[in-house]
C-alpha cells in the first residue's frame, strides 16, 4: 500500500471528465466499463518513479524484482513478441516495438464508475493532497472525442491474402501440425499524431464502446490504445481465474448492450454451433493445462462453459477456468508459463505460433500481448491485448490488428467476415468524424 491516501466522491456522471483529465495529462490509464464479464478496477498512474523496459535478455527474476518491489502496484505490458521468446519461437521479422514495459508511479488514482468513489495515493502527502484537490474540483465538461478522418487503411493481408492464409492453415491442420490457429491481419493508417491525437481516439472509443479492459499506455514513441474484452489471468489472494473467449457472432442492426437484448435464436446459433463450441473447448483445455503448472493439484476446474456476453455488437462465448496458486509460486510464474494466451495462438501452442509466424507477413508486437496490473506476488490482473491499436508518434502510423480462430471446418470467407467484424469499432472511429 502507498503510505498516503486521500479519498472523495464525485457524481458518477463526472467520472468521464476525471478519466479524460487523467488521459490528457499523460496518465497511464487502465479503465473498465461496468457490467461486463471480467470487469475490473479503474487505475491510473501519474508521475512515473521507476520503469523496466523489457529486452531479450531480461530474466524472469528481473521482472519479479521490479514488479514486487516497494509499495504500490506496477502497471505495464508484455508483447506477443516477448511471448515468442518465452516459447523459443524464432522470427526474421523486424519490429521496433518494445518487448515489454513496466512502471511504478509516485501517484495512483483509482475510481469506481458506479459509486463515484475516488482515491488518490502516493508517497508524498502534499502531492497527494494537491492532486486530490484538483481532481475533486469542478472542471470543464468532457467534450466528445474528435478524431479526424484517416481514410481507408492498408491491410497486411487483404481479403484474397487472408482467405489464402486460412486455406494454408487448413492444410496444416490436415497435416497434423495444429488443430486450431488464430490468424490475423494488420490494418495500418498513415497518422500525423500532432493532428490525430491518439488520446482523443481512445477517449472517443471508451465513451461509445464499453469493454472491461481499456488501457492507454505510453512507451517511448508508442501509444497503446487497448479496448479488449478478454481477461487473460487474474489472481486475487492466490485464487486464479482465466476467461478465454472463443466463438464470435455479429449482432445485426441496432447497437445492443446485453444478451437480454439479443434474439434468443442468435444466441442459440452461437452456443449450439459445433464449430464454435469446438473452438472454445480446445482453448479451454489448453488453458487448463497452462495454469495447472502453477496451481495446486486438483484445484483446476471449468465453470460457466459456453457463457455469452455482448461487446462491440458481437456475441462472444467464453468459459471460466479457475484454480488455486501453489504455495511457493507467484502470479508472474503463472503468467509467464501461460503466456501468450491460447485463444490468440491456437493449439498446440508452440507449433501454432511457428505457423502464425510463417503465414502472417507482419509482426504482432503489442497485438495478442497482455496489459497487466501487478499488485503483489499473489494479486494481479491481466488482459489479452486484442481490439488494440498502436500509434507510432515518430513514424506517423496507427496500426490495428484483427483475427479469427481457424479449425478444420472453417470457411475462409466467413473467417474474413468475422475478422472485419472485430475491426469495425476501430474502422468506424478512424474513418468518421466526431465518433463519440
Amino acid at each position: 500500500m502507498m503510505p498516503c491516501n486521500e479519498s472523495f466522491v464525485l457524481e458518477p456522471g463526472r467520472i468521464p471528465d476525471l478519466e479524460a483529465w487523467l488521459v490528457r495529462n499523460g496518465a497511464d490509464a487502465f479503465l473498465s466499463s461496468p457490467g461486463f464479464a471480467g470487469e475490473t478496477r479503474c487505475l491510473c498512474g501519474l508521475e512515473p518513479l521507476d520503469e523496466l523496459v523489457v529486452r531479450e535478455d531480461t530474466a524472469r527474476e528481473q521482472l519479479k524484482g521490479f514488479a514486487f518491489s516497494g509499495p504500490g502496484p506496477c502497471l505495464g505490458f508484455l508483447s506477443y513478441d516477448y511471448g515468442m521468446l518465452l516459447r523459443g519461437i524464432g522470427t526474421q521479422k523486424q519490429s521496433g516495438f518494445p518487448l515489454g514495459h513496466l512502471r511504478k508511479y509516485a501517484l495512483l488514482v483509482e475510481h469506481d464508475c458506479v459509486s463515484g468513489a475516488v482515491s488518490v495515493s502516493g508517497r508524498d502527502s502534499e502531492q497527494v493532497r494537491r492532486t486530490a484537490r484538483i481532481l475533486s474540483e469542478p472542471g470543464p465538461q468532457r467534450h466528445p472525442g474528435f478524431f479526424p478522418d484517416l481514410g481507408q487503411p492498408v491491410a497486411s493481408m487483404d481479403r484474397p491474402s487472408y482467405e489464402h492464409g486460412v486455406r494454408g492453415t487448413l492444410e496444416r491442420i490436415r497435416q497434423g501440425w495444429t488443430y486450431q490457429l488464430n490468424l490475423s491481419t494488420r490494418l495500418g493508417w498513415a497518422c500525423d499524431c500532432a493532428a490525430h491525437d491518439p488520446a482523443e481516439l481512445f477517449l472517443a472509443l471508451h465513451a461509445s464502446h464499453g469493454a472491461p479492459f481499456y488501457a492507454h499506455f505510453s512507451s517511448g514513441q508508442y501509444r497503446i490504445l487497448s479496448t479488449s474484452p478478454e481477461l487473460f489471468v487474474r489472481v486475487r489472494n492466490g485464487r486464479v481465474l482465466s476467461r478465454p473467449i472463443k466463438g464470435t457472432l455479429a449482432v445485426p442492426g441496432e447497437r445492443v448492450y446485453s444478451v437480454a437484448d439479443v434474439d434468443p435464436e442468435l444466441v442459440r446459433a452461437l452456443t449450439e454451433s459445433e464449430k464454435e463450441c469446438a473452438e472454445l473447448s480446445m482453448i479451454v483445455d489448453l488453458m487448463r493445462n497452462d495454469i495447472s503448472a502453477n496451481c495446486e493439484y486438483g484445484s483446476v476446474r471449468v465453470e460457466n462453459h459456453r457463457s455469452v456476453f455482448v461487446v462491440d455488437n458481437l456475441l462472444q462465448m467464453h468459459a471460466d477456468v479457475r484454480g488455486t496458486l501453489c504455495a511457493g509460486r507467484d502470479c508472474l510464474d503463472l503468467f509467464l508459463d501461460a503466456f501468450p494466451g491460447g485463444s490468440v495462438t491456437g493449439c498446440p501452442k508452440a507449433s501454432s505460433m511457428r505457423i502464425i509466424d510463417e503465414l502472417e507477413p507482419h509482426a504482432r508486437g503489442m497485438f495478442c500481448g497482455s496489459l497487466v496490473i501487478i499488485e503483489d506476488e499473489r494479486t494481479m490482473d491481466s488482459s489479452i491485448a486484442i481490439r488494440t491499436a498502436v500509434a507510432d508518434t515518430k513514424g506517423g502510423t496507427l496500426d490495428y490488428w484483427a483475427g479469427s480462430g481457424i479449425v478444420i471446418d472453417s470457411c475462409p470467407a466467413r473467417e474474413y467476415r468475422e475478422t472485419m467484424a472485430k475491426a469495425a469499432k476501430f474502422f468506424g472511429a478512424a474513418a468518421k468524424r466526431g465518433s463519440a
Side-chain angles (χ1 to χ4, degrees):
M1 294 290 291
M2 302 287 261
C4 306
N5 184 285
E6 292 276 328
S7 299
F8 55 93
V9 177
L10 291 175
E11 289 292 328
R14 288 185 54 202
I15 291 295
D17 299 332
L18 171 84
E19 293 170 339
W21 189 93
L22 290 164
V23 170
R24 288 172 178 145
N25 281 276
D28 290 325
F30 287 62
L31 308 178
S32 187
S33 306
F36 285 93
E39 177 185 345
T40 186
R41 61 199 300 199
C42 294
L43 188 62
C44 299
L46 287 161
E47 306 288 338
L49 275 178
D50 198 4
E51 64 181 5
L52 175 68
V53 179
V54 179
R55 307 184 192 285
E56 287 188 15
D57 58 354
T58 301
R60 177 179 297 221
E61 291 309 315
Q62 287 176 276
L63 290 173
K64 290 184 181 184
F66 183 84
F68 302 148
S69 64
C74 162
L75 310 182
F77 72 88
L78 290 170
S79 70
Y80 178 86
D81 297 345
Y82 184 68
M84 293 179 73
L85 283 175
L86 288 175
R87 306 277 78 84
I89 312 297
T91 182
Q92 299 299 313
K93 297 169 188 167
Q94 299 295 316
S95 169
F97 190 77
L99 291 173
H101 199 156
L102 302 175
R103 282 201 184 100
K104 294 254 183 178
Y105 303 87
L107 281 170
L108 290 160
V109 179
E110 184 164 7
H111 63 274
D112 186 311
C113 298
V114 176
S115 69
V118 181
S119 70
V120 182
S121 57
R123 305 181 188 188
D124 183 316
S125 59
E126 177 52 36
Q127 188 181 32
V128 168
R129 278 195 294 272
R130 185 171 62 250
T131 305
R133 188 167 58 250
I134 293 170
L135 295 179
S136 60
E137 289 174 350
Q141 287 192 336
R142 174 185 183 175
H143 62 75
F146 178 79
F147 199 75
D149 189 354
L150 285 175
Q152 291 299 307
V154 175
S156 65
M157 298 175 78
D158 59 13
R159 181 168 193 153
S161 298
Y162 190 84
E163 293 183 3
H164 179 73
V166 174
R167 287 189 286 273
T169 302
L170 293 173
E171 182 58 31
R172 285 159 178 83
I173 292 174
R174 293 186 194 99
Q175 293 170 352
W177 294 107
T178 179
Y179 47 98
Q180 177 173 172
L181 183 142
N182 184 267
L183 185 70
S184 74
T185 183
R186 185 188 64 203
L187 306 168
W189 291 265
C191 176
D192 175 4
C193 291
H196 303 80
D197 186 350
E200 296 304 317
L201 175 57
F202 175 80
L203 291 169
L205 288 167
H206 187 245
S208 57
H209 294 75
F213 298 103
Y214 266 74
H216 181 272
F217 191 90
S218 297
S219 180
Q221 71 197 66
Y222 300 101
R223 304 287 179 270
I224 299 166
L225 288 64
S226 187
T227 72
S228 173
E230 185 165 359
L231 169 69
F232 178 36
V233 284
R234 173 177 294 164
V235 188
R236 298 271 169 82
N237 296 319
R239 295 189 301 277
V240 177
L241 168 64
S242 179
R243 182 170 284 154
I245 292 175
K246 271 297 163 199
T248 301
L249 194 60
V251 180
E254 297 294 318
R255 179 79 58 81
V256 294
Y257 297 94
S258 76
V259 176
D261 299 325
V262 178
D263 181 351
E265 288 301 319
L266 206 59
V267 176
R268 195 171 296 116
L270 177 62
T271 58
E272 295 184 2
S273 161
E274 288 188 13
K275 182 245 180 196
E276 303 292 343
C277 292
E279 276 192 46
L280 179 66
S281 295
M282 289 176 193
I283 299 302
V284 165
D285 195 45
L286 180 65
M287 286 308 302
R288 285 174 51 201
N289 281 290
D290 280 353
I291 72 168
S292 289
N294 290 286
C295 286
E296 292 178 1
Y297 179 77
S299 70
V300 176
R301 63 193 186 280
V302 177
E303 299 175 350
N304 303 318
H305 195 54
R306 295 192 294 168
S307 292
V308 175
F309 70 105
V310 176
V311 66
D312 303 333
N313 246 38
L314 300 170
L315 278 173
Q316 303 271 214
M317 191 160 57
H318 68 88
D320 295 346
V321 186
R322 297 182 183 276
T324 302
L325 196 61
C326 287
R329 307 295 285 175
D330 58 53
C331 59
L332 272 174
D333 290 321
L334 179 84
F335 180 98
L336 295 172
D337 289 345
F339 185 70
S343 64
V344 290
T345 60
C347 41
K349 183 178 285 185
S351 177
S352 299
M353 291 176 72
R354 290 189 190 94
I355 298 169
I356 287 169
D357 187 63
E358 178 189 342
L359 293 178
E360 293 182 351
H362 52 269
R364 287 190 168 188
M366 187 63 239
F367 177 59
C368 297
S370 183
L371 288 132
V372 297
I373 301 174
I374 304 171
E375 191 79 42
D376 57 38
E377 288 87 343
R378 296 178 76 80
T379 306
M380 176 188 72
D381 224 334
S382 65
S383 66
I384 290 185
I386 53 175
R387 321 280 160 87
T388 294
V390 173
D392 181 343
T393 60
K394 185 181 287 186
T397 59
L398 177 73
D399 289 330
Y400 178 81
W401 298 254
S404 64
I406 314 301
V407 292
I408 190 61
D409 46 359
S410 284
C411 164
R414 282 201 293 270
E415 296 298 344
Y416 181 76
R417 286 198 296 271
E418 179 181 321
T419 297
M420 290 300 103
K422 291 172 179 173
K425 176 167 58 176
F426 269 85
F427 254 126
K432 296 177 182 176
R433 294 179 180 274
S435 55

